[in-house]
Amino acid sequence: MKYLPFLLLLFLSACIGITRQQNITVTAVRDTISPDISSLINLYQTFEQDTLEILPGAYGDPGSWHFGGTAIDSQLQPLLSDRMYNKDYLFYACYKFNLDPNTIGLVTRAPSEYESSSVKLFAYHKQTNTITFETELAEEFGDAGDVLIKNSWLYHSPDSSWRVILENFSSSQYGTPEDTVATESYDYYHLSWNGNKIDTVSTDSSALVRVYKTMTPVRKK
């Protein structure tokens, strides 16, 4: 009997240890629960047209964004991409549409170098319940004499596939104030969704520029 108090202490210690281990385990499980991706998808506005012009807006002027979108909570952002983005800026949900029967396209404004000026297309695969692809469709960026402006048209083709015609303008200035060298170029790309990713159909800029300008309305500068 003289060992009974000692045995009780051992028993109580064991019970407390089990309880603590259970609490730790429960906490760890709760911390690893992923947010429901449907909460992310529901932030996007449904797009039901067959053509969408994608523009980044005026660089340095967030009030003029063509794709303002709805801010995506930081807890939901990892569902979009596991790439490293500038954490000082947010993602913004803009439009969703059916890329194909198994995939939803998510047009999203995303962080870039200095602000959320990039417009990207993310592909959400229904069967795997994950984002499986991303590509940039628009951007406007300038720094130390370098300028990049990327615009595109997203359209539903007669063969029922989604396609993109993308215009990429880049310019650069270097040298001294007395002797400045400037270069600029326009490049055009024809892209197509193949069910898994965006494929490049053509890079014939001389032909694609005519198509792009036909689709793009004349704007006042």
Side-chain angles (χ1 to χ4, degrees):
M1 295 297 292
K2 65 180 180 179
Y3 296 107
L4 183 58
F6 178 70
L7 293 174
L8 287 173
L9 286 172
L10 287 176
F11 177 76
L12 290 173
S13 298
C15 291
I16 292 172
I18 292 172
T19 302
R20 287 177 177 170
Q21 289 176 356
Q22 289 174 339
N23 288 338
I24 292 172
T25 301
V26 170
T27 301
V29 170
R30 287 176 179 170
D31 286 345
T32 59
I33 293 175
S34 297
D36 188 354
I37 199 166
S38 64
S39 299
L40 173 66
I41 304 298
N42 290 338
L43 294 174
Y44 290 80
Q45 179 181 341
T46 300
F47 177 74
E48 297 178 341
Q49 306 300 315
D50 59 5
T51 305
L52 179 64
E53 185 180 16
I54 300 180
L55 302 168
Y59 174 73
D61 184 9
S64 69
W65 294 125
H66 297 276
F67 289 81
T70 300
I72 297 174
D73 187 272
S74 59
Q75 291 185 337
L76 295 174
Q77 290 182 15
L79 296 174
L80 277 174
S81 178
D82 57 3
R83 292 179 55 191
M84 294 297 294
Y85 282 93
N86 191 330
K87 295 182 179 180
D88 292 333
Y89 308 111
L90 296 175
F91 288 84
Y92 294 83
C94 297
Y95 297 107
K96 61 184 175 184
F97 64 98
N98 289 322
L99 269 171
D100 59 50
N102 298 315
T103 314
I104 296 176
L106 302 172
V107 178
T108 308
R109 184 154 61 89
S112 187
E113 185 71 19
Y114 298 117
E115 54 191 339
S116 298
S117 58
S118 173
V119 180
K120 294 196 169 188
L121 174 66
F122 292 87
Y124 164 67
H125 194 264
K126 298 176 183 178
Q127 293 181 344
T128 61
N129 198 38
T130 57
I131 304 296
T132 57
F133 177 79
E134 68 175 276
T135 190
E136 187 175 69
L137 299 180
E139 169 68 299
E140 189 163 359
F141 171 83
D143 182 47
D146 295 323
V147 175
L148 168 68
I149 303 175
K150 184 185 296 185
N151 302 311
S152 63
W153 280 95
L154 175 67
Y155 69 97
H156 204 210
S157 67
D159 65 0
S160 296
S161 65
W162 281 96
R163 300 199 174 195
V164 174
I165 294 182
L166 186 147
E167 177 188 69
N168 191 92
F169 168 76
S170 61
S171 69
S172 179
Q173 293 184 355
Y174 58 92
T176 65
E178 296 77 20
D179 185 19
T180 300
V181 178
T183 62
E184 66 175 41
S185 66
Y186 283 90
D187 297 297
Y188 294 84
Y189 304 87
H190 193 196
L191 314 171
S192 179
W193 174 252
N194 70 3
N196 295 303
K197 60 184 180 66
I198 292 286
D199 280 337
T200 301
V201 178
S202 173
T203 58
D204 184 356
S205 293
S206 60
L208 292 173
V209 63
R210 295 193 294 271
V211 178
Y212 186 88
K213 291 186 178 299
T214 300
M215 299 177 72
T216 303
V218 176
R219 298 187 184 86
K220 294 181 180 180
K221 299 297 185 180

